[in-house]
Amino acid sequence: MSRGILAVGAYAPENRVPAEAFEEAWGRFDAPGVETKAVPDADEDALTMGVQAARRALSAGDVAGEAVDRLTFATTTPPLEEEDLTARVGSYLNVPADAVRRTYAGSTRAGVDALLESIDGDGTALLVVADCPEGEPDDSREHAAGAGAAAFLVGEDAPAVVTQRANHADVRPGTRFRQHGSENVEGLDIGTYDRAAFTEPIEAAVDSIEDADAEAIALQAPNGKLPYRTNLDAEAIAAVETVSSLGDTGAASVPLSLAESFRSGHERTLGVAWGSGAGATAFVVEGTPSVEASLDGDRELDYPAYLRRRGDIVGEKPDGGAAHVPVPTWRRSLPQRHRHEAGVCPECGAVAFPPDGACPDCLSLVEFEPVEPELEGVVDAATTIGQGGAPPEFAEQQARQGAFGVAIVRFDAEGGEVSLPMQVAGGASVDDRVRAVPRRVYVEEGVPRYGLKAITL
C-alpha cells in the first residue's frame, strides 16, 4: 500500500492590502513581486486559519475528525509562545483526545518537515500548517508578510505520494530570525550573503534528488523575486506561486503552493522548503489528491485600515470586562463554543442547546445524545455594535476591525433546529445565510478565548 496525501485544504483571509497602499504611505514598496498580500482580521490568527484549512481537508477527504489518529500543527507564529495548540485545534475538529500530537515551529521549513513526518508515520494523520509573519512597519519583511494556511490528510492508498526527498544545511545565520520575546521577523540585509543563504542550500538539496524534473515547483517564497534567483525552472515556479497574491506565508508558503499545484491538476510537483540558518528540504510528489481551497480575497484595505488590523494604531484595552467567564467555566462549554454541540432528547427527539437540564419540549430530565448542527444557517435577527457600544473585552477588536454584528442564527440539527446568538464578522441582515467559522473571541488573563462566529455567504 502507498502512504501519502489523501486530501488537501487551504485557506487565506479575505482582507488584501495592495502594494500601492505601501507606496503611498512610504514612498516605496520593498517586497518585489508581491502585488497584494493577505491580512488576517483582528480576530484571526494561525490557529483559526489552520482550523479553516483543516475543515476543508477533512471535507475533501470525506473523513470525520473522529477518524484522525495523528494531529500535527506547524507554525512560526503561534498565538501563545508556550501551549499545546493541538488541543484546541483538535477540539474544533472533534479529534479523539488520545490521538498522537506533534507541534513544529521555529523555522519556515516547519510545515514541510511536519508533512514528511506525517507521511513517515502510521494511521490517519492530519497536518495543519498556518502562518502570519510580521515585521516592523518600514521593514521589507513586513512589506512582504502575508497570511494563509494549508492542511493535509495523510493515509494509506493515497493518490499522491512522495517518491524522493533530500536535505541540505549550510551554516549562514542572520538572514531571517525572530528574537526571543519579539513578534517581528528581522534580518541583517547583507545583499549577496542573503541571496547565497537562500539559493545555495535550495540548489544543493534539489541536486541531491535523482530526478527533480516536475511540471510545477512549490518553492519557498520570502518575496516574489528571490525564488527566481535560484537555478530552478522559472515557469514551473510561476505556475503555482502564491506569494504575488498572498505575500510571504512563512511555514505555509510551500504547503499553499502544493495545494495550488494539486488544484491545477499537476501530476508531478517538486517541493522545496527553506529556513534561515540555513537549510532546505526538497521532495517530489507524484499524483493529485482532492483539494478544497479558497484563497481569493476581495476586501481591499487601505494603509490605515491595515495598521488597525495589525494593532499598530489602537489604544489600550479598557480595564474590566462585563462578560468575564473563568477559564474552568469556559472549558466546560468548549464543545458548544468550538462545534456548537447540541443534544437530541431520547424521549421526544427535540434538539436542545446547550445540551443540559430538562428537554425544552417534553421537559424530561434526560441524558442528551450529542449532535453537531450544520455549519451553515439563517439569520433570524441582527443588530450592529457601533463605536463605544462594545463591552470592554471586545473594545480592542472593535478598534482594530470596526463595528461588528450580532445575530440570532438558526441551524439545522438532526431533523430539528437550534437558534444561537453569535458575533458576525462584518455584518448581517435578517434572512442572510451565514457560516460558522473559528475566530478568537477575546483575550483575557493573557489567554486567547476561541469560539465560532458567523460570516455571510
Side-chain angles (χ1 to χ4, degrees):
M1 293 187 292
S2 56
R3 182 174 175 82
I5 302 169
L6 299 168
V8 180
Y11 170 82
E14 291 190 8
N15 296 324
R16 296 289 190 275
V17 57
E20 290 79 6
F22 282 82
E23 292 173 349
E24 291 175 3
W26 291 97
R28 69 184 198 281
F29 183 58
D30 296 333
V34 177
E35 299 170 6
T36 63
K37 66 174 197 168
V39 179
D41 256 338
D43 53 1
E44 288 189 290
D45 58 24
L47 189 148
T48 64
M49 293 190 299
V51 173
Q52 292 270 58
R55 279 181 172 181
R56 290 170 177 162
L58 292 171
S59 174
D62 195 22
V63 171
E66 297 94 324
V68 173
D69 303 306
R70 303 171 66 91
L71 177 62
T72 301
F73 186 70
T75 183
T76 68
T77 55
L80 288 169
E81 288 291 348
E82 182 177 335
E83 183 177 288
D84 180 6
L85 297 173
T86 64
R88 301 210 216 189
V89 173
S91 175
Y92 268 111
L93 305 172
N94 209 15
V95 172
D98 62 353
V100 175
R101 312 289 175 121
R102 296 286 186 271
T103 300
Y104 282 71
S107 170
T108 52
R109 294 171 70 185
V112 165
D113 289 345
L115 173 60
L116 297 179
E117 191 264 358
S118 296
I119 291 173
D120 290 339
D122 53 17
T124 299
L126 178 63
L127 161 66
V128 184
V129 189
D131 238 344
C132 43
E134 292 185 358
E136 291 291 347
D138 63 343
D139 188 89
S140 61
R141 279 153 289 271
E142 171 57 28
H143 287 203
F152 297 81
L153 190 65
V154 173
E156 306 296 339
D157 296 324
V161 296
V162 173
T163 57
Q164 300 178 75
R165 65 178 78 175
N167 293 280
H168 184 85
D170 185 6
V171 184
R172 293 175 184 265
T175 56
R176 178 192 179 105
F177 57 89
R178 185 158 59 90
Q179 297 187 48
H180 182 70
S182 173
E183 295 181 351
N184 295 320
V185 176
E186 303 175 54
L188 300 180
D189 295 324
I190 309 173
T192 56
Y193 174 83
D194 285 0
R195 288 194 294 274
F198 181 79
T199 61
E200 292 180 9
I202 285 173
E203 292 168 0
V206 173
D207 287 345
S208 297
I209 290 180
E210 183 177 343
D211 180 9
D213 288 340
E215 303 168 55
I217 300 177
L219 178 60
Q220 192 81 38
N223 57 46
K225 181 178 181 181
L226 203 51
Y228 301 100
R229 294 280 190 167
T230 68
N231 62 9
L232 304 183
D233 186 337
E235 289 188 7
I237 295 170
V240 295
E241 60 85 13
T242 61
V243 68
S244 63
S245 59
L246 301 183
D248 171 18
T249 50
S253 176
V254 175
L256 283 165
S257 287
L258 281 176
E260 281 293 284
S261 182
F262 297 148
R263 186 163 65 165
S264 300
H266 296 299
E267 289 292 330
R268 185 178 171 88
T269 305
L270 172 66
V272 193
W274 171 87
S276 178
T281 302
F283 59 101
V284 174
V285 183
E286 296 187 14
T288 305
S290 56
V291 180
E292 283 192 18
S294 178
L295 301 180
D296 297 329
D298 55 7
R299 189 186 301 134
E300 185 172 307
L301 304 180
D302 59 21
Y303 193 72
Y306 158 70
L307 290 180
R308 288 200 304 274
R309 293 303 196 282
R310 276 180 44 108
D312 287 341
I313 53 175
V314 175
E316 294 294 322
K317 176 182 176 181
D319 292 333
H324 171 70
V325 180
V327 168
T329 302
W330 186 276
R331 178 193 175 277
R332 287 194 292 272
S333 62
L334 287 182
Q336 288 77 53
R337 295 184 185 277
H338 289 174
R339 304 189 301 276
H340 280 170
E341 184 178 278
V344 175
C345 174
E347 298 292 332
C348 69
V351 180
F353 183 91
D356 294 315
C359 172
D361 281 15
C362 70
L363 305 183
S364 299
L365 289 173
V366 298
E367 185 173 339
F368 292 99
E369 299 170 358
V371 59
E372 292 183 20
E374 298 293 326
L375 292 175
E376 294 185 6
V378 177
V379 174
D380 284 335
T383 189
T384 299
I385 306 298
Q387 182 68 32
E393 58 267 36
F394 302 120
E396 181 181 359
Q397 172 192 325
Q398 188 178 79
R400 293 174 62 176
Q401 199 164 311
F404 59 86
V406 177
I408 303 296
V409 183
R410 176 168 33 91
F411 297 92
D412 291 335
E414 288 290 318
E417 294 178 331
V418 293
S419 293
L420 313 173
M422 301 181 69
Q423 269 196 42
V424 181
S429 302
V430 173
D431 293 332
D432 281 352
R433 289 198 61 81
V434 297
R435 178 182 294 112
V437 297
R439 292 292 174 97
R440 187 175 58 249
V441 180
Y442 56 84
V443 177
E444 190 166 0
E445 301 170 314
V447 179
R449 310 287 183 92
Y450 293 94
L452 292 171
K453 297 184 182 181
I455 58 171
T456 55
L457 297 177

